[in-house]
Amino acid sequence: MRTKRRNLPARPTERGGRWLYGRHPVAAALANPARRWRQLAVLPGQEDEAKALVAAARALRRGDGDAIRVLDRNGFAALLSADAVHQGLALEVEPLETPDLDDVLRAAEMASRTVLIVLDQVGDPQNVGAVLRAAAAFGARGVIVPVHGAPPALGALAKAASGALDLVPLIPAVNLARTLDRLKAAGFWCCGLDERAPQLLAALDLGPRVVLVLGAEGEGLRRLVRDSCDYLARLPTMPAMPSLNVATAAAIALYQLAAAAD
């Protein structure tokens, strides 16, 4: 292992484009056997922490990088976006192999319970990351997003996911309505969340294979996606504040499903 102190210039068009940052995302990436990485950047004084993370990853044969770069704050600013909360750690990585819905469906055949999340028109990376974190916390097996309009699976999304990006598959779909039809054919009940729905989510018996479908706050679900759902349900919010941030709604809905399954 080699330790070098120098500032690494970044090409402006790629600024932050290959980097995960923050303690939890970096640690989760290093612990993921499917994640390939190149180098770990740290602030001065955090070399021991960085060496311990890399040593643990290599002891598990997880990771193929070997370089720790010690950068000052200007060096981090050259690599990452100005609002990146990096906590003195940033990891240059290769993208994960694109998850396949077929793999999720095969795993569902072997599982007693499978919950998936579909996000429609949710383009904010912090929201998608927070949904991934809730999915990991409550045992969802995947988050499905449209190919077009979804944020890149790095940077702010990974930071908000707090390590969940390397735990829960983020599955791209070309057409969400057709994806829902495919999931229904595989035995899933698809339930869209809608603040105007007459039924409460907790009142539905959705069985062991469930797809929660959530849209962006304000815009909600597109018509074709909405029409592809078997059910529409709402959370028990008060009339004065009927809508929730999509990540908050996902966490509450996943908790209700997990509590009902116990």
Side-chain angles (χ1 to χ4, degrees):
M1 184 182 303
R2 58 188 184 275
T3 302
K4 297 182 179 180
R5 180 186 294 269
R6 64 187 180 96
N7 290 337
L8 298 181
R11 288 170 285 186
T13 57
E14 298 181 359
R15 190 178 186 185
R18 302 176 68 91
W19 293 84
L20 300 175
Y21 53 81
R23 283 189 173 85
H24 292 302
V26 167
L30 287 171
N32 182 359
R35 174 74 79 174
R36 295 174 62 85
W37 63 280
R38 293 186 175 186
Q39 59 183 324
L40 177 60
V42 299
L43 285 174
Q46 295 183 212
E47 295 93 334
D48 289 345
E49 180 181 4
K51 289 176 181 178
L53 286 170
V54 172
R58 293 186 70 79
L60 294 170
R61 297 184 180 178
R62 293 175 176 177
D64 45 79
D66 64 353
I68 295 175
R69 312 291 188 192
V70 181
L71 307 180
D72 60 18
R73 295 194 180 276
N74 289 333
F76 270 84
L79 292 176
L80 307 175
S81 60
D83 58 350
V85 183
H86 52 73
Q87 298 173 298
L89 292 169
L91 186 71
E92 187 183 18
V93 297
E94 297 291 342
L96 288 169
E97 184 177 343
T98 302
D100 194 300
L101 185 60
D102 288 335
D103 295 332
V104 175
L105 294 179
R106 281 192 289 269
E109 293 289 341
M110 307 297 293
S112 60
R113 177 175 178 269
T114 300
V115 176
L116 301 173
I117 299 172
V118 168
L119 297 180
D120 182 30
Q121 303 190 93
V122 181
D124 180 78
Q126 293 186 343
N127 275 333
V128 177
V131 170
L132 279 167
R133 185 174 185 177
F138 294 109
R141 300 299 182 94
V143 176
I144 300 171
V145 295
V147 170
H148 302 292
L154 286 168
L157 187 156
K159 183 65 170 67
S162 193
L165 181 61
D166 282 87
L167 299 173
V168 178
L170 185 63
I171 306 159
V174 174
N175 185 295
L176 290 185
R178 285 202 291 265
T179 298
L180 291 176
D181 289 340
R182 185 179 175 193
L183 289 167
K184 289 189 291 185
F188 285 83
W189 291 100
C190 299
C191 182
L193 290 190
D194 186 332
E195 65 190 62
R196 297 159 295 185
Q199 302 179 93
L200 288 172
L201 176 63
L204 297 176
D205 181 8
L206 296 172
R209 294 188 181 183
V210 183
V211 180
L212 284 175
V213 189
L214 296 96
E217 186 177 0
E219 298 179 27
L221 300 173
R222 290 175 294 174
R223 182 183 62 81
L224 287 177
V225 174
R226 179 188 176 93
D227 291 348
S228 297
C229 295
D230 297 298
Y231 297 98
L232 295 175
R234 61 182 173 86
L235 299 174
T237 54
M238 301 300 291
M241 187 63 68
S243 65
L244 293 168
N245 168 274
V246 63
T248 303
I252 294 171
L254 287 169
Y255 168 77
Q256 289 191 347
L257 292 179
D262 288 343

